[in-house]
Amino acid sequence: MLDIPIPNNQLVTVMVAQTTFAVLTMPGQQYRVDYLEKAEAYLKPGMRGKFISYSEHPLLLNYNSRLVEVYINSRPQNSQQLFIELRERIQNVFQHWRDWRCVLLGKGEAGENQLRKNLLDGSGLLLRAPAIIAKAVIDACTEHGASTYVLGNIENPSQAIPPFYLLLIGEGYVIAQNFNFVKL
């Protein structure tokens, strides 16, 4: 686990947010946080909130889980209803931290349209996603009378080595393999 000098739930303010580091302040203390092997960030100067570090979180799924592909190879009983069910199940796994469409073949509406077409045809790639999402999609397809197959190991997905971690500051966040904290 990370060596983090800031306790969870400490109220902090982002003073500086750069692509490779941030400066965080709290009463009587200030830290520079360097991101090591950063994957993603959404952090802006002035953001304020509780500081929490995570090794498991919906934002980390795409980084710490092996991705598998789920294909459909028969028509569901009701493709529109299955589409709605898939969207809800994916949203539930991501807990609204990510747009559910991020696991689809295209961006935004294009991904939705391709998913709808493949469900209607009963053929094609549905998504490329972490195993937990793939399992939810397969279960929904089975419940709607559609058969699926998977490319990748869904039963024993490997953890990323080294894993990625999340620093959450209110609604802002940084995902990286490690962080270096320096007291200023």
Side-chain angles (χ1 to χ4, degrees):
M1 188 61 193
L2 299 173
D3 182 26
I4 300 175
I6 302 171
N8 274 343
N9 295 313
Q10 171 68 49
L11 189 62
V12 300
T13 302
V14 178
M15 297 304 292
V16 176
Q18 297 291 325
T19 58
T20 59
F21 74 94
V23 175
L24 307 178
T25 63
M26 64 209 78
Q29 295 181 350
Q30 193 172 50
Y31 287 94
R32 175 185 166 125
V33 182
D34 294 308
Y35 321 140
L36 308 177
E37 301 299 322
K38 179 188 78 174
E40 183 180 343
Y42 173 69
L43 210 56
K44 296 178 183 178
M47 284 184 156
R48 182 178 172 90
K50 289 184 179 181
F51 176 93
I52 305 173
S53 64
Y54 291 95
S55 60
E56 292 184 25
H57 188 277
L59 285 171
L60 292 171
L61 285 175
N62 289 343
Y63 299 105
N64 288 342
S65 300
R66 179 182 304 166
L67 301 180
V68 297
E69 294 178 350
V70 178
Y71 292 82
I72 190 168
N73 58 356
S74 71
R75 287 192 176 127
Q77 296 159 351
N78 181 332
S79 65
Q80 178 58 28
Q81 188 59 40
L82 178 55
F83 173 84
I84 292 167
E85 182 77 19
L86 295 180
R87 181 181 61 209
E88 288 173 1
R89 289 188 186 204
I90 295 168
Q91 285 174 333
N92 286 340
V93 173
F94 280 134
Q95 299 172 26
H96 300 282
W97 282 97
R98 291 207 184 278
D99 184 327
W100 73 276
R101 299 173 294 186
C102 73
V103 296
L104 303 180
L105 292 176
K107 299 284 186 196
E109 195 173 311
E112 280 188 53
N113 290 339
Q114 185 64 51
L115 177 61
R116 286 179 193 275
K117 179 187 181 312
N118 291 355
L119 290 173
L120 188 59
D121 294 347
S123 177
L125 178 62
L126 297 181
L127 50 80
R128 185 169 193 260
I132 188 170
I133 291 173
K135 286 178 184 178
V137 165
I138 291 167
D139 289 347
C141 287
T142 301
E143 291 169 16
H144 286 264
S147 61
T148 57
Y149 65 96
V150 176
L151 288 183
N153 189 343
I154 197 167
E155 294 306 320
N156 191 15
S158 66
Q159 184 80 1
I161 306 290
F164 284 84
Y165 297 96
L166 168 68
L167 297 183
L168 191 63
I169 300 165
E171 293 183 8
Y173 64 88
V174 179
I175 297 171
Q177 287 183 339
N178 208 341
F179 298 92
N180 185 39
F181 289 79
V182 177
K183 192 168 186 176
L184 301 176

